[in-house]
Amino acid sequence: MMLLQKPKDVFRISVGETVSKRNLFDLIQYSKVEGSPFWAGAKSAIGNTPQQGINWIGAAPDIQGVIIKTRPGSYQHDGWLDDDLNTYRYSFKARNSAISHFELANRVLILQPEFSYPILLFTEAKDGWCFEGQFSVTEIDEMHVTLQRQDTYVRLEAAAERSEFVEGGLRYVTHLMAERNRAIVSTLKRKTPSVCEICDEDFSSRYGVSYIEAHHKTPISTFTAKRTVTAADFALLCPNCHRAVHIYMKREDREYSDIRQIIRSKLLT
């Protein structure tokens, strides 16, 4: 049985290893207490209480990972969806039977596809909590999320290319996001060259191949209702500028247009 001494230890557990309930309780409880044996600094403190099923390491927007403790079958919709134990459905936290997507415990699940921190899934075992592996959120519904094991995550191919795409709302399927982006990019590339709109790098001229990445100017996790998005809702960026934009998004609460101007000004100096 593995002994967790610091929050970072949860990232070193092997699939199938068990952690005692007392040990995981103490890690979550006392990682927030400066001077305790489990303290590793404020940036590594584990949010929420040990009694809760959803706990997060670090504070938004710099969350390092999310710990989920669950008992399969304890809720109607919860449990494994496949015999290979690669897909797990997990219900949102509810208060008095009501679910709020603005509840912080639920937000850390909703925001996972945007920031890509791992979901660390533990299921109840006879001797404690059994580590099932690192997962990603691939579907978000009104009542629950679907978690997919990261090393088996396979993106679905887009069924077709369209000029308009429906995203957001109480239900959106994030594992189609990359393919929808690809379809939109394909549509845009028929009209414009693969030039980054921030640094003006022409990927095709430099590398001899056409490539560009699509960035949601408004993150879909902020949509409160279904909406139709068009090409104007996306920025075409090179990989470097795309990554820089996401770093600014995590660090500062700014609109995409502001971030674009900040990066462009730095490139010109």
Side-chain angles (χ1 to χ4, degrees), residues 68-79:
I68 287 182
K69 308 190 305 304
T70 181
R71 301 173 179 85
S74 58
Y75 291 92
Q76 179 182 356
H77 299 291
D78 286 15

Side-chain angles (χ1 to χ4, degrees), residues 207-218:
Y207 299 105
V209 292
S210 295
Y211 179 79
I212 203 70
E213 296 183 359
H215 171 75
H216 284 84
K217 293 179 181 178
T218 302

